[in-house]
């Protein structure tokens, strides 16, 4: 796989995103609010092993991610995928570092529920989401 100018083709990531979310055109982060939870991964280095590790976690957890309305957004050096927002706008909005890996779990209400410089396990994602008020209300 070859990377050019910070643009990354992420077929493995797209495979991890629920089919219903893939069928829709990506919207802005604001448009996703109240509809989806977002796992936002950021790294200017498309070859960052943490990106690959987080993709594997999400790929292995497809059913759980789909059940929890998760969509994936990736911020690279020059471009964002999975949203219409620009990489620069996302870095500013979510205070993402210019270098290194960071992953966030953003709730349906738009708040940052988790932030980590290491990949987040499926168990941690599930536990955090399942404790959210909107998730609890949806399970009643």
């Amino acid at each position: 796989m070859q990377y050019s100018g910070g643009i990354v083709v992420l077929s493995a990531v797209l495979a991890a995103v629920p089919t219903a979310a893939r069928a829709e055109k990506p919207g802005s982060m604001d448009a996703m609010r109240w509809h989806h939870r977002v796992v936002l991964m950021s790294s200017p280095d498309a070859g960052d092993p943490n990106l690959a590790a987080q993709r594997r976690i999400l790929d292995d957890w497809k059913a759980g991610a789909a059940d929890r309305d998760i969509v994936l957004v990736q911020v690279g050096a020059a471009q964002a995928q999975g949203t219409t927002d620009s990489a620069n706008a996302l870095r500013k909005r979510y205070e993402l570092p210019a270098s290194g890996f960071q992953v966030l779990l953003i709730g349906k209400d738009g708040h940052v529920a988790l932030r980590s410089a290491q990949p987040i396990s499926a168990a941690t994602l599930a536990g955090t989401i399942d404790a959210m008020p909107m998730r609890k209300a949806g399970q009643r």
Side-chain angles (χ1 to χ4, degrees), residues 20 33 84 86 112 118:
R33 183 178 270 183
T84 57
S86 72
V112 176
Q118 300 296 318

Side-chain angles (χ1 to χ4, degrees), residues 80-129:
Q81 292 189 332
T83 182
T84 57
D85 297 294
S86 72
N88 287 335
L90 292 171
R91 274 194 288 281
K92 183 176 179 181
R93 179 176 184 172
Y94 294 106
E95 300 175 357
L96 300 170
S99 63
F101 173 82
Q102 193 156 105
V103 62
L104 304 149
L105 171 63
I106 302 168
K108 285 186 175 183
D109 63 357
H111 84 282
V112 176
L114 288 175
R115 179 183 297 265
S116 178
Q118 300 296 318
I120 300 173
S121 72
T124 298
L125 289 168
T128 301
I129 292 167

Side-chain angles (χ1 to χ4, degrees), residues 26-41 71-75 80-86 89-90 93-94 104-112:
S28 69
M29 294 297 287
D30 288 335
M32 287 186 241
R33 183 178 270 183
W34 306 117
H35 301 284
H36 299 287
R37 293 176 184 91
V38 176
V39 171
L40 187 150
M41 302 187 309
V71 296
L72 181 64
V73 171
Q74 182 169 335
V75 179
Q81 292 189 332
T83 182
T84 57
D85 297 294
S86 72
L90 292 171
R93 179 176 184 172
Y94 294 106
L104 304 149
L105 171 63
I106 302 168
K108 285 186 175 183
D109 63 357
H111 84 282
V112 176

Side-chain angles (χ1 to χ4, degrees), residues 57-72:
I57 289 166
L58 293 171
D59 191 42
D60 291 344
W61 189 54
K62 282 180 193 175
D67 183 51
R68 290 166 179 84
D69 300 320
I70 291 177
V71 296
L72 181 64

